[in-house]
Amino acid sequence: MNISTYTVKPKLPASLKPLEEIARNLWLSWNYDAIQLFIRLDDQVWMETHQSPIKTLGKVSQARLAEIAKDDSFIAALNTVYERFLKYKKRDTWNKGQRRAVVAYFSKENGMDVSLPIYSGGLGILSGDHMKTSSDLGLPLAGVGLLYRQGYFQQYLNADGFQQESYPENDWYNMPVERKVDKGGKPLTIAVDLAGRQALAQIWEVRVGRNFLYLLDTNIEENPPDFRMVTSALYGGDSETRIQQEILLGIGGYRALRAMGINPAVTHLNEGHAAFLSLERLRELITEKGLSFNEAKEVIWPTNIFTTHTPVPAGNERFDIALLEKYMRPWAGILGISWDTFLGLGRENPDNHSETFCMTILALKFSAYANGVAALHGVVSREMWKGLWPGLPINEVPIGHVTNGVHPKTWVSSGMSTLLDRYFGPSFEEKPSDISVWDRMSRISDEELWRTHERRREQLVRFVRDRLKDRYRRSGANERQIRTAEDALSPYALTLCFARRFATYKRGNLLLRDPERLLKLLRDPDRPIQLIFAGKAHPHDIPGKELIKSIVHFAKEYDVTSHIVFVENYDMTVAHYLTSGGDVWLNTPRRPMEASGTSGMKAAMNGVINCSILDGWWDEAYNPDVGWAIGHGEYYADENLQDDVESKALYDLLEQDIIPLFYQRGRDSLPREWIKMMKATMREIGQSMSSHRMLMDYSNKFYFPALRNHQRIIKTDYSESKALAAYFAKLGDSWAKIKLGNITSNAKPVMQRGDFITVSTYIELGELSPEEVLVELYFGAVSSQNNIDDARRCEMKSAGKEGNGYRYQVRIECTDTGMQGHTVRILPKHPALIHPYRSRFIKWA
């Protein structure tokens, strides 16, 4: 069938023209007065379009547009919002520096707004908050991702409570994306090789405040049917679909930036899905700049940043070698390396030919800067990937951490945001980098804060009841059953919320472990509690689906469906209601399997108090003033024992601390002590877990140093990188020839604090000079296992040539008591090195 296509846009009266510009910029998603404009156009259409501004403009009748164009009240509100929007794009920002030096931010999913459903969960929401915050701070970030035709699945439960999935098609022409075109007006496309065939992708642009997100889409006529399906669904398909998507994201995404004239100085990989981008960067430098593979690698390494989000090995993408050979074999020739060398780029042990190819390892090997997403996750990540740096003490493995944060203006509810604006002043909006503004929580009266929160709980209950009625109608329930939804939950009862991906390690049913104890709390006529659950299980995760089903069955079996409710289709809309309307945010993962988590941060900024296992971000944020810890961070070999112990600890907290505190009221019916904890939560978490703090950390730790590295490398026309590659080639030939002699010192069996020790060693360096190696004294307290724990390091200097080698010495002070010890090690040393920890270059005495 030959179909001619064209696009129809709404015909807006002149006075409403700013509405379209606002609708097409996701600045709207964190500005409630802008959202309110579209609700005022037609609130029913707004809900029917699933809160899509562009679709709302298209569905509102021309008569209504003509009517509201004459409404002076609406026009005044529109002009006020538009002026704020224009002012936002022009105002001074935290980063007043180089707007032209672009950082490219690659993420497989991007949770910007409910009107753009191309995200599944925490990783995507973090990406969205990262992009919004970069706009607030004036950071030159260009986002890169994929435009999924069906996004992530829509969840619904059947009559038995078992998760079902549907995959509705996205209508891009009624969403906040715009197709990029070339100078001739034709769609701008790029090509990638997929197993010997060329796949084309068009580029779509999303405006995020000052910055832009670019999304690739293979669903175009020029592609054969199988290639059109590459961007059909997020996390859909099999391993072959995933490798196709990740080639498109990494290689195609970088080419898309180049096609638009964007030349990123630095690339940031948000998880390993985009790791192939390093190959494209290598190819470009090799073919266009004439660099060798090793020289090009030294250009990329100091300008790459990699963030890992997965604390379990199974969560890191691995490809079988046969599949990798099908799609990536030509790249060995393109890069000028052998196939075995290419495979080694994604292996912990390059010589292990049975090891699969890991995208996380590929990303780590090409990134001078790497981080986990919480302090504890940094520890876990160093343990997971220590094999890449054999011989290096685990605390020195070059993977740091930047704890996640959330975008306050996106996640603080409209009512709470209005309250905070009034007491925090203009800095809350105009200077988001000034996170000290949260110290002004003490200015807000208990009465105002509590009434604001109560209204949010009432709205949450109403929202959940509406969702329940929709579910009952869809499942064919009779009117009597549908009416029972009106009695579900109470707007006055203590409300606990549990909402996250339903993976088994998150233990969504931990609170159901002792039915008798739980039912007593649910049915207490004077101090009742109620539970709201939400979350999706992966379509192939049957145990996760069974968890959801067990919650629904529990409520039916014990006749507590008015006290325990599961809300279908957890997305940004559901998250907004839950994180602002609950009283307690419940989080029960098996430590240390939660990399960070961010939903509890969103809840805390709304005054919802966290009760959580000491895992992820809560491990570093918890103190008794801001919430409750389940357990003390213990580790268990027996998971069943762990569930028993931690479920009992949770019941104890509820019975002895949480419920009494919530229902402890004075004459004015206010829970003063609870409100005190709400204020402490908002003050502390608002500062420590703000995405503005997060992005300032990324900038100071990674972005700014990497940008300086790029400027220096370019300024020297790559001579620095060439010299570094030559240095490592020399090191590779000479490293095995280095010989460390005996270590001597003037230490006595017993030393006094304040005494000085001179340590000396003899080293033969072969063809290397003393300036080409870092010789360190490694010293500190000696443990019962004869290890040096919490070691300190001090560089030893050459005291001159001696025979075929050099004598190295250093003088240190005895500052600590107890059993002390020292040894000597050798690492690479070069002025262009970001850090000396390069794989397999470490030698101990």
Side-chain angles (χ1 to χ4, degrees):
M1 186 186 299
N2 188 9
I3 301 175
S4 299
T5 62
Y6 47 89
T7 304
V8 178
K9 292 187 174 182
K11 185 177 181 180
L12 295 176
S15 60
L16 299 182
K17 286 292 184 184
L19 272 177
E20 184 164 16
E21 186 177 350
I22 293 170
R24 292 191 174 277
N25 193 309
L26 289 180
W27 173 86
L28 169 143
S29 67
W30 69 91
N31 286 272
Y32 291 109
D33 52 354
I35 293 172
Q36 194 63 35
L37 293 173
F38 295 89
I39 296 174
R40 285 180 65 178
L41 276 180
D42 191 316
D43 58 348
Q44 186 173 343
V45 169
W46 174 254
M47 296 309 294
E48 288 173 358
T49 61
H50 302 289
Q51 303 172 37
S52 168
I54 294 171
K55 198 174 286 188
T56 296
L57 284 181
K59 278 190 166 287
V60 171
S61 68
Q62 284 300 136
R64 174 58 179 159
L65 292 174
E67 176 189 0
I68 206 157
K70 299 173 183 177
D71 184 332
D72 57 354
S73 171
F74 183 88
I75 298 303
L78 170 59
N79 291 338
T80 299
V81 170
Y82 190 56
E83 286 169 15
R84 276 186 55 238
F85 174 58
L86 296 178
K87 181 181 176 183
Y88 171 85
K89 293 204 291 184
K90 294 177 182 176
R91 77 177 183 219
D92 282 345
T93 61
W94 173 76
N95 177 50
K96 299 177 182 177
Q98 327 136 355
R99 284 291 300 173
R100 278 181 279 179
V102 173
V103 176
Y105 179 73
F106 286 71
S107 185
K108 194 173 184 180
E109 53 174 299
N110 292 275
M112 297 289 173
D113 185 60
V114 68
S115 66
L116 189 61
I118 54 170
Y119 60 92
S120 72
L123 177 68
I125 301 299
L126 176 77
S127 302
D129 283 4
H130 199 107
M131 286 296 301
K132 294 171 186 178
T133 308
S134 73
S135 173
D136 287 346
L137 296 181
L139 287 166
L141 216 69
V144 180
L146 303 181
L147 191 68
Y148 303 99
R149 197 176 81 213
Q150 297 172 336
Y152 200 49
F153 70 89
Q154 302 285 300
Q155 177 201 52
Y156 65 96
L157 304 185
N158 64 18
D160 192 39
F162 196 75
Q163 174 182 293
Q164 305 288 300
E165 298 88 27
S166 65
Y167 295 86
E169 298 277 327
N170 287 318
D171 175 11
W172 303 130
Y173 299 95
N174 279 309
M175 290 184 175
V177 294
E178 188 170 335
R179 189 162 52 180
K180 298 293 289 183
V181 296
D182 60 21
K183 292 179 180 178
K186 294 182 179 179
L188 189 63
T189 62
I190 56 91
V192 293
D193 180 274
L194 295 180
R197 296 188 294 154
Q198 291 288 298
L200 298 177
Q202 59 186 350
I203 307 166
W204 297 78
E205 179 183 85
V206 180
R207 299 173 189 176
V208 188
R210 296 180 180 86
N211 289 340
F212 299 92
L213 169 65
Y214 300 102
L215 302 170
L216 300 184
D217 167 27
T218 62
N219 186 28
I220 54 178
E221 291 181 359
E222 294 88 337
N223 281 330
D226 58 332
F227 284 174
R228 296 186 70 164
M229 295 296 291
V230 171
T231 55
S232 63
L234 172 61
Y235 302 133
D238 54 14
S239 292
E240 189 149 13
T241 301
R242 290 200 301 276
I243 198 170
Q244 291 173 340
Q245 288 184 342
E246 293 178 14
I247 290 169
L248 181 63
L249 174 64
I251 296 170
Y254 196 79
R255 289 177 182 175
L257 293 174
R258 289 299 204 193
M260 293 181 292
I262 299 170
N263 303 311
V266 169
T267 47
H268 181 179
L269 293 75
N270 191 40
E271 196 52 280
H273 306 120
F276 287 139
L277 79 83
S278 292
L279 307 183
E280 175 62 13
R281 293 187 69 188
L282 287 167
R283 183 202 64 78
E284 193 175 70
L285 290 163
I286 291 167
T287 59
E288 297 179 15
K289 302 297 181 182
L291 302 184
S292 69
F293 171 82
N294 288 327
E295 290 168 343
K297 181 180 178 181
E298 300 305 337
V299 175
I300 293 170
W301 185 72
T303 57
N304 249 10
I305 299 148
F306 170 59
T307 299
T308 176
H309 292 261
T310 312
V312 289
N316 293 273
E317 188 79 81
R318 287 182 177 271
F319 293 116
D320 289 335
I321 300 307
L323 182 63
L324 194 77
E325 185 164 15
K326 177 179 178 180
Y327 281 90
M328 304 305 295
R329 184 72 188 239
W331 276 91
I334 292 169
L335 301 178
I337 57 177
S338 70
W339 179 237
D340 281 346
T341 300
F342 182 93
L343 293 177
L345 299 177
R347 286 171 167 167
E348 183 174 307
N349 180 1
D351 299 324
N352 180 2
H353 298 295
S354 63
E355 187 178 340
T356 54
F357 190 93
C358 178
M359 297 295 280
T360 300
I361 291 175
L362 177 64
L364 284 168
K365 287 188 175 182
F366 280 94
S367 302
Y369 306 100
N371 69 284
V373 289
L376 179 60
H377 183 231
V379 174
V380 172
S381 298
R382 289 189 286 277
E383 176 66 37
M384 282 180 66
W385 304 111
K386 64 185 179 183
L388 292 174
W389 295 271
L392 191 65
I394 193 166
N395 63 307
E396 294 182 76
V397 168
I399 302 175
H401 81 275
V402 173
T403 301
N404 282 345
V406 298
H407 190 248
K409 279 290 183 179
T410 294
W411 293 105
V412 175
S413 71
S414 56
M416 190 65 75
S417 187
T418 300
L419 180 65
L420 297 184
D421 281 335
R422 191 159 72 245
Y423 284 93
F424 287 6
S427 293
F428 190 44
E429 178 178 344
E430 296 174 9
K431 295 181 180 178
S433 59
D434 180 13
I435 55 180
S436 66
V437 73
W438 287 91
D439 285 332
R440 299 182 184 182
M441 279 303 304
S442 58
R443 299 181 180 186
I444 302 175
S445 71
D446 290 358
E447 290 82 0
E448 285 185 285
L449 182 61
W450 187 245
R451 299 306 175 218
T452 300
H453 177 66
E454 284 195 311
R455 282 193 291 273
R456 289 305 306 179
R457 194 190 311 113
E458 290 165 3
Q459 290 166 356
L460 168 61
V461 169
R462 185 171 66 247
F463 170 78
V464 172
R465 288 172 176 174
D466 288 343
R467 282 293 183 100
L468 274 179
K469 283 188 278 189
D470 289 343
R471 185 166 110 201
Y472 290 159
R473 289 191 185 101
R474 195 177 58 248
S475 63
N478 58 43
E479 279 302 313
R480 184 187 61 79
Q481 290 173 305
I482 293 171
R483 283 197 299 273
T484 62
E486 290 293 346
D487 293 325
L489 306 178
S490 163
Y492 313 109
L494 173 61
T495 304
L496 282 66
C497 295
F498 179 100
R500 53 200 17 88
R501 185 165 55 89
F502 260 77
T504 51
Y505 77 86
K506 293 178 184 282
R507 297 189 296 179
N509 62 348
L510 189 67
L511 196 51
L512 312 184
R513 199 165 177 87
D514 187 338
E516 184 178 345
R517 207 166 170 184
L518 177 58
L519 292 169
K520 185 178 178 182
L521 299 179
L522 293 170
R523 293 168 174 166
D524 187 326
D526 300 317
R527 302 190 308 178
I529 70 168
Q530 55 195 11
L531 309 176
I532 303 176
F533 293 89
K536 296 177 178 179
H538 188 278
H540 303 309
D541 183 6
I542 301 303
K545 292 183 176 183
E546 289 293 338
L547 268 182
I548 295 172
K549 180 180 170 183
S550 72
I551 292 169
V552 175
H553 277 225
F554 184 97
K556 289 180 179 177
E557 180 182 351
Y558 293 102
D559 193 25
V560 286
T561 53
S562 61
H563 300 281
I564 298 180
V565 175
F566 188 94
V567 182
E568 293 174 312
N569 204 37
Y570 185 42
D571 63 3
M572 292 182 76
T573 297
V574 177
H576 274 292
Y577 279 98
L578 294 178
T579 56
S580 63
D583 297 301
V584 175
W585 196 260
L586 194 59
N587 185 36
T588 54
R590 294 189 194 282
R591 177 186 166 103
M593 298 179 73
E594 183 91 323
S596 173
T598 56
S599 57
M601 302 174 188
K602 300 160 194 165
M605 289 184 192
N606 282 286
V608 180
I609 304 173
N610 278 264
C611 176
S612 175
I613 297 290
L614 288 170
D615 199 7
W617 73 279
W618 191 240
D619 184 65
E620 65 197 82
Y622 165 73
N623 72 68
D625 294 332
V626 300
W628 297 276
I630 304 169
H632 303 282
E634 300 90 347
Y635 293 90
Y636 294 82
D638 184 332
E639 291 185 351
N640 194 54
L641 173 64
Q642 181 180 10
D643 292 350
D644 274 343
V645 171
E646 292 180 341
S647 66
K648 288 173 182 175
L650 176 53
Y651 291 126
D652 289 344
L653 280 174
L654 286 167
E655 292 167 352
Q656 298 166 22
D657 296 326
I658 298 175
I659 295 172
L661 192 68
F662 181 84
Y663 285 106
Q664 180 184 317
R665 309 294 170 102
R667 292 181 181 177
D668 53 9
S669 296
L670 293 178
R672 296 279 182 181
E673 290 302 311
W674 187 278
I675 295 169
K676 180 181 177 182
M677 188 176 277
M678 287 176 66
K679 287 184 176 180
T681 292
M682 296 175 75
R683 181 180 64 251
E684 294 190 27
I685 306 305
Q687 294 182 66
S688 64
M689 299 302 156
S690 160
S691 59
H692 300 94
R693 183 276 310 154
M694 174 188 76
L695 210 54
M696 288 188 286
D697 282 353
Y698 271 110
S699 299
N700 292 322
K701 287 184 176 183
F702 304 142
Y703 290 169
F704 296 159
L707 287 166
R708 289 193 293 269
N709 296 340
H710 175 264
Q711 291 167 357
R712 192 178 63 251
I713 289 168
I714 297 301
K715 189 175 181 179
T716 61
D717 195 27
Y718 306 107
S719 62
E720 178 184 291
S721 303
K722 292 176 182 178
L724 194 55
Y727 167 72
F728 275 110
K730 182 179 181 182
L731 214 58
D733 293 336
S734 306
W735 197 253
K737 301 173 186 176
I738 296 175
K739 295 179 181 178
L740 279 83
N742 292 332
I743 303 169
T744 60
S745 77
N746 62 348
K748 302 172 185 176
V750 178
M751 304 290 292
Q752 300 291 319
R753 180 186 282 161
D755 288 350
F756 284 87
I757 299 174
T758 298
V759 183
S760 174
T761 190
Y762 172 76
I763 303 176
E764 291 184 10
L765 296 175
E767 293 84 12
L768 299 172
S769 67
E771 294 76 25
E772 293 178 308
V773 292
L774 174 64
V775 180
E776 289 185 329
L777 184 72
Y778 188 87
F779 63 102
V782 178
S783 71
S784 59
Q785 284 81 34
N786 205 34
N787 295 319
I788 299 177
D789 296 331
D790 298 321
R792 285 179 285 166
R793 305 182 304 278
C794 186
E795 184 174 358
M796 302 180 75
K797 299 294 185 181
S798 171
K801 195 160 177 45
E802 187 177 299
N804 293 326
Y806 297 85
R807 174 66 57 185
Y808 279 82
Q809 287 183 342
V810 71
R811 186 170 181 256
I812 60 170
E813 182 181 0
C814 297
T815 57
D816 299 324
T817 60
M819 181 66 74
Q820 303 289 307
H822 57 250
T823 188
V824 173
R825 70 181 187 180
I826 301 176
L827 292 163
K829 186 178 183 180
H830 191 281
L833 271 177
I834 308 306
H835 59 71
Y837 307 126
R838 296 293 284 263
S839 184
R840 304 180 197 283
F841 285 115
I842 184 170
K843 189 177 287 286
W844 292 89

